[in-house]
Amino acid sequence: MTRLHLHLLSDSTGETLEMIAKAALAQFEGADVDRHFWPMVRSHQHLDRIMGEITRNPGLVLFTLANMEIRERLEAKCRDAGLATVSALDEVTRRLSSLLGQEAHARPGRQHRMDEAYFARVEAIQFTIAHDDGLMWEEWEEADIVLAGVSRTSKTPTSIYLANRGFRTANIPIVVESPPPRTLFGLKKPLVVGLTTSPDRLIQIRRNRLLSLNQAPETDYVDHDRVEKELKFARRMFADNGWPVIDVTRRSIEETAAAVINLVNERQSGLSKGNTGPKPV
């Protein structure tokens, strides 16, 4: 299979392009794509510097550039190099302009204004990274969400996704031989959510993880009886503390995070008052 080089050029952070590229590439199973990110391209000099890298790795150039001079310079240079270019927002912007009856304002990164929500999201990401895998448990009361589950139940990637949505998220591995700190059972502010999965799926994920690390794939870590014991231990803990439970067996990270956010919203609106047991989702 031929490798495709995909160049993403933006006059801002490149988040919009990254999401568009991710959504589009998801339609092509097994595609061998090497993505190159070029954010904050706001001058001719900057563009000229990165064009050398682009021509050395020719491929599709996807861009969002508000400055017409820089955009035209990019398109001209790509034409000369025989490279295809796509402006990611042109068609949407044209349609909106027609329907709204007004011209679009060409302001770089306008969709990412440095408002309070932006800074809250940055702070949430920093908090979440610092409180991954049971770290800094003394500060869990400051979290919005605490995810609990045995090893390889997608706690960390789900936490990062939630942080990108502005939720300060901590996570803790549930280990039979090493009970979590007592702080976990007395939290008031954060919503504690238990993550669980099927034994067979968990064993498959763990075995793949061991293989990726060049470790023996047959250990207690993937023993069926031991894995079942771990999951039962975790589920009992969730039930004893009345924490809602999400089964991640057939859920993507995005779907799991959406289920967590729904639980947060229910809690905030008071819909979940009176529940005494774990709530499977």
Side-chain angles (χ1 to χ4, degrees), residues 95-278:
R95 294 296 182 94
L96 287 173
S97 178
S98 175
L99 292 170
L100 295 173
Q102 57 179 282
E103 293 294 322
H105 297 286
R107 301 179 186 175
R110 193 181 186 199
Q111 69 271 32
H112 301 299
R113 293 192 305 270
M114 300 296 185
D115 54 14
E116 291 183 8
Y118 175 85
F119 287 112
R121 185 165 59 121
V122 171
E123 197 280 332
I125 293 171
Q126 293 173 339
F127 179 93
T128 299
I129 292 173
H131 296 79
D132 181 43
D133 204 32
L135 294 175
M136 299 180 68
W137 53 266
E138 303 91 342
E139 299 177 357
W140 282 351
E141 192 61 44
E142 301 174 20
D144 300 309
I145 300 164
V146 176
L147 301 180
V150 303
S151 174
R152 313 313 296 179
T153 48
S154 305
K155 296 184 299 298
T156 294
T158 303
S159 296
I160 297 298
Y161 188 94
L162 288 166
N164 273 282
R165 296 291 300 273
F167 295 95
R168 295 154 59 98
T169 309
N171 73 77
I172 172 72
I174 302 302
V175 182
V176 176
E177 298 82 5
S178 179
R182 296 189 62 81
T183 301
L184 178 65
F185 307 108
L187 295 174
K188 302 299 183 183
K189 175 180 175 288
L191 174 66
V192 182
V193 179
L195 302 184
T196 190
T197 187
S198 71
D200 290 341
R201 177 60 175 160
L202 184 57
I203 290 170
Q204 178 186 3
I205 292 172
R206 288 183 173 185
R207 182 171 284 117
N208 290 340
R209 175 61 173 169
L210 291 173
L211 289 171
S212 71
L213 297 174
N214 294 320
Q215 296 182 10
E218 300 301 332
T219 67
D220 287 346
Y221 189 57
V222 294
D223 178 76
H224 196 278
D225 291 340
R226 182 180 175 84
V227 168
E228 282 197 334
K229 180 181 177 181
E230 285 185 64
L231 290 170
K232 287 179 180 178
F233 177 79
R235 285 196 293 266
R236 173 51 56 191
M237 183 183 296
F238 303 156
D240 289 346
N241 291 276
W243 298 332
V245 180
I246 296 174
D247 189 331
V248 304
T249 304
R250 295 179 177 84
R251 280 187 165 98
S252 65
I253 299 302
E254 293 84 356
E255 290 169 332
T256 300
V260 173
I261 292 171
N262 285 338
L263 289 171
V264 172
N265 292 337
E266 286 181 8
R267 186 195 197 207
Q268 291 176 344
S269 64
L271 295 178
S272 59
K273 286 184 178 179
N275 290 342
T276 58

Side-chain angles (χ1 to χ4, degrees), residues 20 108 120 280:
I20 292 172

Side-chain angles (χ1 to χ4, degrees), residues 9-17 38-42 63-67 89 105-115 118 121:
L9 278 79
S10 172
D11 48 24
S12 186
T13 62
E15 291 180 42
T16 301
L17 274 177
W38 309 103
M40 308 304 291
V41 182
R42 297 184 177 182
F63 68 88
T64 53
L65 297 172
N67 185 293
L89 299 178
H105 297 286
R107 301 179 186 175
R110 193 181 186 199
Q111 69 271 32
H112 301 299
R113 293 192 305 270
M114 300 296 185
D115 54 14
Y118 175 85
R121 185 165 59 121

